[in-house]
Amino acid sequence: WADLPRALMSWTQNAGTLAALAALVWFAATYLGRKLEKRRLQASPLATGMLLLSWSLFGVVLGIMLLNWSSDGRYHNLVPSTPMTVDPADPNPPPQPPPTLSDWLLTAAGALALVVVAAPMLRLLAGGLRWGRILALARLGFKEGIRSRVVLVFAAIVPLLLFAGWFITGKPEDQIRNYVDFLYLVITILFILTTSLIGSLGIPADVKSQAIHTIVTKPVEKLEIVLGRYLGYAALITMGLVLVTALSMIYLLRNLTPESIEESYRARVPIYGRLEYIGTKERRGDNVGREYDIRGYITGPQVNQPNLPRQFAIWSFDTLPDSVGADGKPVAFEFGFDIFRLTKGIENQGVLCTFYFADGRIRPMDLERRKLEMDAKFDELQEAAVKKHGGDRAALNKALADIRLKLLHDFGMYVKPKFNVTDYHTQRIDDVPAALFEYLRKKETTEPRQAVGNEPAPPMFQVGVSVDFDIRGANQQMLGTARRDLYLLVTEQSFLLNYIKGIVGLWCLLMLVLGIAVTCSAYLSGVISWLCTIFIVLAGLFVADIQEIAENRSPGGGPLESLTRIALKQNQVVDLGDSPAATLRSGVDEAIRWLLRVFFLRLIPDVWRFDLHNYVSNGFDIALSVLCMETVLPMLGFLFPCAVFAYYLMKYREIANPS
């Protein structure tokens, strides 16, 4: 939700720029010589003035960019900002840059152009459409979709479900994860093919058979034809998806192993903290050379280097919900770390670690010292309690509980020592006292946290992890941690409801594919519409890779430089030299990157944002904010320009063309 204003600004810039370019092309074609074959659009003086103002604002932004370029970046604070790419290895990514003057000018220019271009369609939606006609056309499209027999592709899932178990193997705890991955993959492929075919072939088939003539000769708006087709096909796809989802849930829930139920048959609601490393050589933790540099690594005390500082991974929580520990029950934390082995280690043992659950005001480097002081104090008080109560076991247990509570308040921390951490396995510490969080909330009221100098205010709560010393050599292993490897488990939701939420993300993708297909079919033939739709979907699968090329982060340089390296059989680290050919190659690559940044990446949807199955397969709840902001809102953001585009294509298309 915090990113929503900036996302709306970006959407207005993208859609508005496209609308301004389209209007500029139309004005050029209409008033500079070539007429639009007896179908001139009527542009009112108000619309013309708004477009002129929009183009003027675009010109001002272009002037600011040229001024910044000519002055060697002196006015970089005024040019349009570029969203920062988040490095997955960075435990605390920096915030996105604030909007600049050019961002506000681009937003205003895009909004003006978008209002002018979309106004005719919006006016028609407000009062000129009749939903009775649209529903009748939707009913017709639904029936034609069934008669087209394309929906028989749905039946292909049945044999896949019958025999998939022969080929899906893995550890018992991975059973649900493997099943969910398989089901989502199969359903996605089948439904994207079906949706793109139905949406692409509908209107062109009517035009080819001239069946559409019986519709356009009636008092029916052509936009109603597009909307009717879309709604009819959407209803058919939705019905098929509901049936296949029910069938897949039956398949998923059969013969589950207890290990997989504990691991993934859940819908955890986590709270994540900020991650930092103490005592390591690098801010992101030590690097062990993993292919995917996502985790930082810490190790325990070394026998041959006893003076090295203790290494910690610290998760900081600025705030915590009031519900955490409010019922008096212990609070649970879950984690799953990576172990990088430097020695063979000890059989059936992972890495022994100490977990510190502490007040955020405590400095991380003081955690170990406080733990030693608290252990010494506990031993002293325990000895006194044993002498006092003797053989009264109940009284002794109560006294020890009181001692632990007193030490928790005195030292502001709870310690879990010698915990055996295993490799890539979800583990839980579920006995963190609720009294610790009650203590933190009271202290927040009596002693509010404050910033000191240039340093921000300390966090409310922190969790520290360190590797314990083991004389047998097990501490020679390294523990890999990432920001989301440890979380506070607030509660758990229904797994089946979470599975349906994942299907809703897939449904949003299908509605987007259907909108693209119907828009293309409003002007192109069936096969060409289908090819365009599939191209856009496939391009959306590689948005992240294309973004690497556009931002010059891909290994081997730009497209032309990579092609040169392949032709010369040179690897990525070889310097290709400085020559006129290298200068030309660099200029062409920069032009390609500019086109990718400015046009391609702003028009192609990120297909992977609609893929929510990883939440389901790993047992994490899909929050409503994720469902709305990551799937539903982007779907609507792409469908609206598609609707405007389809309106103009269908309105000014020659239906009765004899060719």
Side-chain angles (χ1 to χ4, degrees):
W1 288 106
D3 295 334
L4 179 59
R6 190 60 188 271
L8 292 177
M9 176 182 286
S10 178
W11 179 86
T12 304
Q13 293 175 4
N14 297 337
T17 302
L18 187 62
L21 289 174
L24 184 62
V25 170
W26 175 80
F27 268 93
T30 302
Y31 294 106
L32 298 181
R34 288 173 42 184
K35 304 295 182 181
L36 290 178
E37 297 184 0
K38 303 178 183 180
R39 295 182 182 275
R40 287 185 54 184
L41 297 175
Q42 300 299 321
S44 66
L46 177 60
T48 304
M50 292 175 67
L51 285 174
L52 289 175
L53 178 58
S54 173
W55 295 331
S56 300
L57 294 177
F58 280 118
V60 171
V61 175
L62 181 60
I64 292 175
M65 296 173 64
L66 292 175
L67 180 63
N68 179 67
W69 175 74
S70 62
S71 61
D72 295 330
R74 182 183 304 175
Y75 303 98
H76 65 277
N77 292 329
L78 300 178
V79 299
S81 60
T82 301
M84 298 182 64
T85 301
V86 177
D87 186 354
D90 194 345
N92 303 302
Q96 296 294 338
T100 63
L101 174 63
S102 294
D103 286 323
W104 291 108
L105 293 177
L106 281 176
T107 304
L112 288 171
L114 196 59
V115 168
V116 172
V117 171
M121 188 195 76
L122 295 176
R123 193 182 306 117
L124 193 60
L125 286 173
L129 298 181
R130 296 294 179 267
W131 286 102
R133 298 195 295 254
I134 294 176
L135 294 178
L137 291 169
R139 211 161 36 241
L140 176 63
F142 184 88
K143 294 179 180 179
E144 289 184 356
I146 295 177
R147 286 198 294 266
S148 67
R149 297 183 180 180
V150 176
V151 293
L152 292 179
V153 178
F154 296 156
I157 196 174
V158 176
L160 290 174
L161 295 182
L162 287 176
F163 303 105
W166 295 0
F167 309 100
I168 300 178
T169 59
K171 296 184 293 184
E173 59 265 28
D174 291 337
Q175 184 188 39
I176 291 180
R177 185 178 293 116
N178 293 336
Y179 281 178
V180 170
D181 292 345
F182 167 76
L183 289 172
Y184 273 83
L185 177 64
V186 170
I187 295 174
T188 300
I189 294 176
L190 291 180
F191 272 82
I192 284 181
L193 289 175
T194 305
T195 303
S196 59
L197 285 171
I198 290 178
S200 301
L201 301 178
I203 295 177
D206 288 347
V207 173
K208 183 177 181 180
S209 64
Q210 299 184 358
I212 199 172
H213 293 177
T214 61
I215 300 176
V216 297
T217 54
K218 304 294 188 298
V220 176
E221 294 285 349
K222 291 185 178 179
L223 181 61
E224 293 176 343
I225 299 176
V226 175
L227 289 178
R229 289 290 180 177
Y230 181 84
L231 293 178
Y233 298 150
L236 179 61
I237 295 299
T238 303
M239 183 178 298
L241 187 61
V242 169
L243 294 175
V244 172
T245 300
L247 183 62
S248 66
M249 290 172 69
I250 296 174
Y251 172 81
L252 175 65
L253 298 179
R254 60 188 183 89
N255 299 327
L256 294 179
T257 62
E259 295 86 353
S260 66
I261 293 176
E262 175 64 25
E263 179 79 16
S264 300
Y265 192 71
R266 307 165 65 184
R268 306 173 179 91
V269 179
I271 295 180
Y272 299 102
R274 296 190 320 272
L275 175 60
E276 62 177 332
Y277 295 92
I278 304 297
T280 57
K281 298 177 182 178
E282 302 180 16
R283 185 176 70 90
R284 299 177 179 179
D286 292 336
N287 191 327
V288 298
R290 294 285 198 198
E291 180 179 1
Y292 298 103
D293 186 20
I294 296 176
R295 290 176 172 85
Y297 289 79
I298 61 175
T299 188
Q302 305 297 315
V303 178
N304 55 351
Q305 294 177 309
N307 295 326
L308 287 179
R310 188 74 176 263
Q311 295 185 356
F312 291 91
I314 305 290
W315 284 264
S316 302
F317 300 81
D318 291 327
T319 58
L320 291 174
D322 293 337
S323 60
V324 175
D327 55 0
K329 297 180 180 179
V331 178
F333 286 80
E334 290 190 341
F335 54 90
F337 298 143
D338 173 33
I339 295 176
F340 183 79
R341 296 195 175 277
L342 301 176
T343 63
K344 183 179 179 181
I346 301 173
E347 187 176 358
N348 297 325
Q349 179 178 309
V351 174
L352 298 180
C353 298
T354 295
F355 289 78
Y356 306 82
F357 304 91
D359 185 352
R361 297 174 176 83
I362 302 175
R363 296 192 309 166
M365 59 282 299
D366 293 338
L367 291 176
E368 179 64 15
R369 177 181 60 80
R370 282 194 172 227
K371 172 186 175 295
L372 296 176
E373 293 176 357
M374 188 170 64
D375 290 343
K377 189 67 174 178
F378 178 79
D379 292 340
E380 177 185 343
L381 296 176
Q382 183 184 30
E383 183 178 355
V386 170
K387 291 181 179 179
K388 178 179 179 180
H389 297 286
D392 190 348
R393 178 61 60 181
L396 178 61
N397 290 336
K398 184 179 183 305
L400 293 179
D402 293 338
I403 291 172
R404 293 188 179 95
L405 182 61
K406 180 181 183 303
L407 293 178
L408 186 148
H409 285 81
D410 292 343
F411 291 89
M413 62 189 302
Y414 171 77
V415 181
K416 191 77 172 179
K418 301 293 183 180
F419 194 94
N420 187 28
V421 176
T422 54
D423 190 22
Y424 280 125
H425 189 77
T426 302
Q427 297 177 270
R428 174 188 291 200
I429 296 177
D430 54 6
D431 58 353
V432 181
L436 174 61
F437 301 94
E438 181 183 356
Y439 159 79
L440 293 176
R441 280 191 284 268
K442 288 181 179 179
K443 193 170 184 179
E444 187 75 10
T445 304
T446 57
E447 302 177 24
R449 293 172 288 123
Q450 296 180 354
V452 179
N454 296 327
E455 295 293 328
M460 178 181 180
F461 176 67
Q462 61 181 329
V463 180
V465 179
S466 68
V467 180
D468 292 338
F469 176 78
D470 192 331
I471 193 63
R472 295 172 296 177
N475 63 303
Q476 298 299 317
Q477 320 306 341
M478 301 189 73
L479 189 73
T481 60
R483 177 173 178 258
R484 289 180 172 84
D485 279 352
L486 181 142
Y487 49 87
L488 189 155
L489 184 62
V490 180
T491 185
E492 295 192 30
Q493 305 292 343
S494 168
F495 172 82
L496 296 180
L497 178 60
N498 203 42
Y499 184 83
I500 294 174
K501 290 180 184 178
I503 294 294
V504 171
L506 174 58
W507 177 84
C508 291
L509 173 61
L510 297 178
M511 294 301 102
L512 175 60
V513 173
L514 181 61
I516 296 172
V518 172
T519 300
C520 294
S521 68
Y523 193 81
L524 303 173
S525 65
V527 175
I528 302 301
S529 299
W530 183 76
L531 290 176
C532 290
T533 304
I534 292 299
F535 170 78
I536 293 174
V537 173
L538 291 178
L541 293 174
F542 300 98
V543 163
D545 302 291
I546 297 172
Q547 190 169 6
E548 283 190 356
I549 298 175
E551 297 177 355
N552 198 20
R553 294 185 293 109
S554 59
L560 199 58
E561 181 180 342
S562 297
L563 185 62
T564 303
R565 292 182 183 277
I566 293 174
L568 298 178
K569 299 181 180 179
Q570 302 288 349
N571 59 36
Q572 300 173 0
V573 299
V574 173
D575 188 5
L576 296 180
D578 188 9
S579 63
T583 303
L584 177 62
R585 183 170 59 242
S586 176
V588 172
D589 282 342
E590 184 57 37
I592 294 175
R593 285 192 286 265
W594 184 82
L595 290 173
L596 292 177
R597 287 195 307 269
V598 174
F599 293 103
F600 195 80
L601 287 175
R602 296 178 184 271
L603 298 177
I604 300 299
D606 183 7
V607 172
W608 290 112
R609 76 162 58 243
F610 301 96
D611 180 18
L612 303 178
H613 90 276
N614 282 325
Y615 286 90
V616 183
S617 63
N618 291 290
F620 287 90
D621 180 61
I622 302 173
L624 289 179
S625 59
V626 172
L627 195 62
C628 294
M629 309 305 291
E630 293 292 327
T631 57
V632 177
L633 193 61
M635 175 195 69
L636 298 176
F638 274 96
L639 286 182
F640 181 77
C642 286
V644 177
F645 198 34
Y647 164 77
Y648 284 105
L649 291 177
M650 198 68 186
K651 183 176 179 62
Y652 297 100
R653 174 178 182 172
E654 184 65 55
I655 297 294
N657 192 337
S659 61

